[in-house]
Amino acid sequence: MENNNSNSDAKHSTSQQNLSIASDQTTAVSRAFSRDRSLKRVKLENENVGDLADPDNAGLYCDVCDLPFTEPSDLLRHIKSSPCHEDLNRNFEKRKVDEQVEYKSANNAWSEIPTSEYSQVLEALQARCHSIHDLQSRNYITRQYTEEDCAGLTKCTNCRRLQVDLERREDSKCTFHPGKRPFKKPGGGERSNLCCGKPGEGCESRPTHSYGLPDPKYQEFAVTPNGSSEGLRRRAVALDCEMALVQTTTVPYKTSELIFLCAVDYLTGEILINTHVKPQRKVIEWCTRYSGVTAQTMAEAEAQGQTLNGWQDARSELWRYIDADTILVGQSLQNDLDVLRMIHTRVVDSAVLTNIAVGFGCTRNWSLKVLCEELLGMKIQTQGKKGHVCVEDTYATREVVLLCCQYPERLEAWATGKRKEQEEQQMIQKEASEKAKREQAKVKQEQQKVREEALEKAMIERARAKEQLAKIREMASKTANGSAPEGKEVETQDQEEEVWREVRKEGYRRRRRRR
């Protein structure tokens, strides 16, 4: 009897342990998040599940239904499908909702991918990876640079153009604006420079360019290593970085430096990294309206020990989760890789993806905010001057790429609409250009007509003045011969001077009109 009781207790204990492990596995698969500040995902105890999956390890048992199982997945499937466990499933779903952080900014809910669809989603993502040509044409660095390459990437201190681009141009003249441009022109349009008050290529010129020292950052780029450490490699990762402007002693212009890094597992939605990065150089502008980071928030994070020390530590932390075969997903990802000093060619960029979808000749890159609003009906970056939330942008990029990969017909419908808009805008611009040309031609005709009328009038006045002058001279000659009445000599001289004054005035008026 005691043996039966002990066997029953052991069976019940084993059953409870199995249910707990199965519940933990479901929690891991369903992308449950903890409530802590860093939004870390609840992880599965892989070693326990591995022991249960061992054929030599028996004892998977449902005490409620009195059924034995050989695999944890079979037990999990039974718990989820059997009507006997409705209350258990209901309580588990409630606990899952409670554990999930309400990270639904502005009513945005992020997609959960079932485990059974991981391979299909990954294949669709791999098919969208960009070619090396596409990456190079969008300023991605795809190889390590030599010292000669770095020298070619030196910028002119005046016109800020790259040396390698200037050497291809026939004209070596340096044209630039010495004054700064305002950040944004009120009402939009082309910004005017403070030096001359006009837009355009430049108001000053030099016969040659003045090159500074090569930017040392190009020698700091490194290729993502093969095989990540600690067995944490992810097959696809969504990435976003926030940057601030810093001043360096090596180059005479401001450069960007990493101040916040967020990385999310593309398949599971697990937040891998979501932390501040302490800059190594003096920050000139935090760019809070974009980065969402201030000097105060950085100081608070550093005081709590929640920062990474510079872009080197941030890159090393990211390399714990990725290797050369991992697909990186992002929006305008070349900027993020630039501040991380990374060379990675397995990339799916939402900006490039949508640009290519619209078609050849499209030069516009749509912002993440616009893509979310038009493709997903989702509003992000609603914090105004407080700036962007990095983790929100990361999830939003993941959503956009998921839609483009899983629903290509929706992407094509959006691209078709954009092509039509582009054609309509081109037509409007063409009509506006033709209208402007017609108005300009009309103005020129009116100006020409005014000039011709003024010239004709001047010729008439000149002819009249000549006629009067001839009469006056004739009168003067009669006076000299003594045939003119007395007192007429003085009157003739006065008339001649008056005529010449009128002629000079008319000439002055014509010159004013020409100007």
Side-chain angles (χ1 to χ4, degrees), residues 87-184:
D87 293 337
L88 176 64
N89 288 327
R90 192 178 302 112
N91 293 334
F92 170 74
E93 291 297 331
K94 183 178 182 303
R95 180 165 62 86
K96 184 178 74 172
V97 171
D98 291 340
E99 286 179 350
Q100 176 137 4
V101 173
E102 287 196 6
Y103 188 66
K104 301 178 179 179
S105 69
N107 300 321
N108 297 330
W110 313 116
S111 298
E112 297 180 9
I113 304 172
T115 312
S116 58
E117 297 180 9
Y118 281 0
S119 58
Q120 177 186 350
V121 171
L122 191 63
E123 287 177 4
L125 184 66
Q126 288 173 343
R128 293 285 186 171
C129 285
H130 308 303
S131 66
I132 297 295
H133 177 268
D134 286 338
L135 296 179
Q136 288 176 343
S137 64
R138 289 167 174 83
N139 298 323
Y140 277 83
I141 294 178
T142 58
R143 62 178 179 84
Q144 287 183 303
Y145 286 160
T146 63
E147 292 185 4
E148 185 179 351
D149 294 331
C150 294
L153 294 171
T154 304
K155 288 183 178 180
C156 174
T157 56
N158 292 325
C159 65
R160 300 289 305 280
R161 295 190 182 92
L162 291 174
Q163 181 178 351
V164 66
D165 295 332
L166 293 170
E167 288 176 350
R168 297 193 191 106
R169 301 174 60 179
E170 296 180 359
D171 184 12
S172 61
K173 191 176 180 181
C174 181
T175 306
F176 63 98
H177 286 285
K180 295 180 180 179
R181 290 196 298 173
F183 182 75
K184 188 177 181 182

